[in-house]
Amino acid sequence: MAGEQEARDEYFMREALRFARNATGRTSPNPLVGAVVVKDGVIVASGWHRKAGTPHAEVHALNMAGELAKGATVYVTLEPCSHYGRTGPCAKALVEARVKRVVAAMEDPNPKVAGKGFQILRDAGIEVTSGVLEEEAKKLNEPFLKWITTGKPFVALKTAMSLDGKIATSAGKSQWITNEKSRMRVHELRDIFDGILVGINTVLKDDPSLTTRLPYKEGKNPVRVVLDSKAKIPLTAKLLTDGQAPAVVAVTENAPKENVTAIENTGAKVIICGEGPQVDIQKLLEKLGEMNICSLFIEGGGQVNFSFLEAKAVDKVYAFIAPMLIGGKNALTPVEGNGFEELSYAPRLKNVEVETLDGDILLTGELG
């Protein structure tokens, strides 16, 4: 019987996780949460959190269930909240609905919740089970878990290179190494991250917009972040003038004050990150976290990529590899800087996944 119950719990939790994914990229700084209400072995209602400040998944599901919630089991991908924010506590809503049992994938690491929601339920005589498909739930909310426990965003580094590891020819030509399907995947990734980051050299060379362009839906434009230690960004740059999304320019204390003022006059936010010649990566992440940027997508060049890797600030890597050979000892590579002198120091990806995209290869892996 115990095995049958575990199997049922996992089945219904997978459904809750599936509903949670409906809002991918739309709930920050809140987590993705899904819920289903089960009565007599049948899902009678479902819900998911759609956007910060709106009702949580449990409330949507309970509203749909109505009287059917009484005596039911509710499966939810994260511990029901116990505090008043922009919405009321979901744990109390479950108590008021007189559900019989609550099954959660994981405890909420938010200090405002962290076990308190479960306690409200237990105090009301509701049976609580936690830890069902916990690893899947953690993977679903990687950005939120990183931000809520460290105050810094989850950082993903994206590269697009040839089979021999070049991101441009020796003449600087890079459009296009990867194919159309790979480039579309990059826009899908932009759509789910809070911020996107490049270095000043990319801005000077390409003047990118760094927006999300999807043919099948309206994409969400991430906050554009530029590493620009000396505040050299042209005031005519698209990032500062197109009005498509907020811009943040990260400088050091050595940046000329008149340049900083001119950038701020465009409406961009300037943040000072360190006293040295280069932006302090960890200080940058702290300040972005304070701005509720919970996830950051790096589309920089080799120097920017190395800066983040050297700072041990990368959580995930998306490496797009095209089946072409460019060659050239002076051709740019995805990771430059000083490099890592010992192989034992070089970051190694784990939990690697490989996907083919019309002949290109997407290799995804975790760091840390």
Side-chain angles (χ1 to χ4, degrees), residues 1-272:
M1 288 293 292
E4 291 179 7
Q5 184 62 62
E6 288 177 5
R8 282 195 295 270
D9 286 349
E10 289 188 2
Y11 172 80
F12 290 121
M13 188 60 73
R14 283 195 180 89
E15 288 300 293
L17 288 165
R18 183 170 66 84
F19 282 111
R21 293 187 185 96
N22 286 338
T24 298
R26 299 301 184 269
T27 63
S28 185
N30 288 357
L32 292 165
V33 183
V36 296
V37 180
V38 176
K39 191 77 170 283
D40 299 325
V42 176
I43 294 176
V44 297
S46 61
W48 63 92
H49 183 42
R50 289 162 167 76
K51 183 180 179 181
T54 65
H56 292 183
E58 300 95 317
V59 173
H60 282 297
L62 291 174
N63 287 342
M64 180 184 289
E67 288 298 316
L68 291 174
K70 182 180 178 181
T73 297
V74 177
Y75 291 83
V76 60
T77 58
L78 188 69
E79 176 184 3
C81 65
S82 57
H83 63 292
Y84 286 89
R86 284 186 281 181
T87 60
C90 293
K92 290 190 175 181
L94 290 163
V95 171
E96 292 169 0
R98 300 172 69 184
V99 305
K100 180 181 180 181
R101 181 173 179 241
V102 172
V103 181
M106 60 178 290
E107 181 178 289
D108 191 337
N110 185 343
K112 294 180 179 178
V113 184
K116 298 182 182 71
F118 289 151
Q119 194 59 52
I120 289 173
L121 298 173
R122 292 189 176 103
D123 288 347
I126 296 172
E127 180 186 347
V128 175
T129 301
S130 181
V132 177
L133 300 185
E134 183 172 4
E135 291 306 311
E136 288 89 334
K138 287 181 176 178
K139 190 171 182 63
L140 176 71
N141 274 312
E142 288 174 321
F144 171 76
L145 296 178
K146 171 75 178 295
W147 175 73
I148 202 68
T149 57
T150 69
K152 298 176 182 177
F154 178 88
V155 177
L157 186 155
K158 165 251 165 181
T159 66
M161 70 186 101
S162 63
L163 190 60
D164 55 342
K166 307 296 184 182
I167 62 173
T169 68
S170 56
K173 306 296 184 182
S174 60
Q175 296 184 347
W176 297 102
I177 292 176
T178 52
N179 63 31
E180 185 176 350
K181 191 167 185 179
S182 291
R183 299 196 298 275
M184 184 57 59
R185 178 62 60 83
V186 171
H187 283 278
E188 291 171 347
L189 289 169
R190 288 181 181 182
D191 183 56
I192 65 175
F193 278 82
D194 295 341
I196 182 170
L197 180 143
V198 296
I200 182 59
N201 288 336
T202 296
V203 176
L204 295 175
K205 177 177 177 290
D206 299 330
D207 191 20
S209 61
L210 301 179
T211 53
T212 300
R213 299 181 293 280
L214 297 171
Y216 53 86
K217 72 171 184 177
E218 183 178 354
K220 176 190 63 119
N221 291 330
V223 174
R224 285 88 58 94
V225 183
V226 182
L227 290 186
D228 185 14
S229 57
K230 297 181 177 63
K232 297 190 301 183
I233 187 170
L235 301 181
T236 56
K238 291 177 184 176
L239 297 172
L240 303 181
T241 60
D242 64 10
Q244 295 299 304
V248 176
V249 180
V251 304
T252 69
E253 291 186 357
N254 297 323
K257 297 296 186 291
E258 61 273 18
N259 290 17
V260 169
T261 300
I263 294 169
E264 290 176 330
N265 287 340
T266 70
K269 182 178 181 63
V270 177
I271 53 176
I272 299 174

